[in-house]
Amino acid sequence: MRSTTAFIIVFLSCFLVALSPKKTYKHTPHDFHMKHEKIMIPSTGGAQLSAWYFPSDLGDQLMIMSHDGVGNMGDYLERVRILVRYGFSVLIYDYRGYGASSDFKINKYQYVYKEFYDDFDAVYNYCEGKFHHE
């Protein structure tokens, strides 16, 4: 009985960590009247990543926000709004296969893709080049 219960818990937890990409935005910055800039960032393999940049007039720190693989960046705008209010400029992006980023075949039961690491590196390098001031 104990092993059956453990198996059921492990089996069900696989569904909790699965990716759930959405191509359509449920919310956009316009819905929240947020000042932003739309950006397309090139990544490996010819992929293009959709990103939104939210400037803050209260500080000079930039935060890159990667979502957790559920939905798309439109689902995280309330968090972005809070960070901007606290003085952070924020750049949020969608991995390939999400939102307006390039198409990418995703197995919803596979959580880790090398390409997602490449996507973060591309976003980081973009920010380093565009926003890094010494």
Side-chain angles (χ1 to χ4, degrees):
M1 179 67 172
R2 180 173 267 180
S3 63
T4 303
T5 303
F7 173 76
I8 290 171
I9 290 170
V10 169
F11 179 76
L12 292 176
S13 69
C14 291
F15 292 104
L16 297 176
V17 298
L19 297 176
S20 180
K22 300 285 187 269
K23 291 298 281 178
T24 305
Y25 295 111
K26 183 176 170 184
H27 301 288
T28 68
H30 296 292
D31 297 332
F32 296 99
H33 309 289
M34 298 170 75
K35 180 174 141 185
H36 73 289
E37 177 185 344
K38 289 183 179 182
I39 301 169
M40 291 302 283
I41 300 171
S43 189
T44 59
Q48 294 288 317
L49 308 177
S50 179
W52 295 328
Y53 170 68
F54 299 88
S56 175
D57 298 329
L58 303 175
D60 63 355
Q61 299 295 309
L62 174 68
M63 183 171 293
I64 298 171
M65 183 180 283
S66 301
H67 60 75
D68 64 1
V70 175
N72 57 44
M73 64 183 170
D75 298 321
Y76 299 87
L77 290 174
E78 184 59 36
R79 293 175 189 167
V80 170
R81 186 164 52 174
I82 291 168
L83 291 167
V84 170
R85 271 196 226 144
Y86 279 103
F88 293 96
S89 293
V90 178
L91 187 132
I92 188 169
Y93 68 99
D94 278 323
Y95 302 102
R96 60 187 80 198
Y98 289 80
S101 292
S102 294
D103 288 337
F104 181 69
K105 185 162 176 57
I106 295 174
N107 176 345
K108 66 181 181 177
Y109 301 112
Q110 181 178 343
Y111 196 71
V112 177
Y113 287 89
K114 177 200 174 299
E115 291 85 354
F116 293 168
Y117 292 98
D118 294 342
D119 292 348
F120 176 79
D121 288 343
V123 170
Y124 180 86
N125 291 332
Y126 174 86
C127 290
E128 187 73 15
K130 178 153 180 147
F131 301 111
H132 183 73
H133 305 291
E134 294 210 32

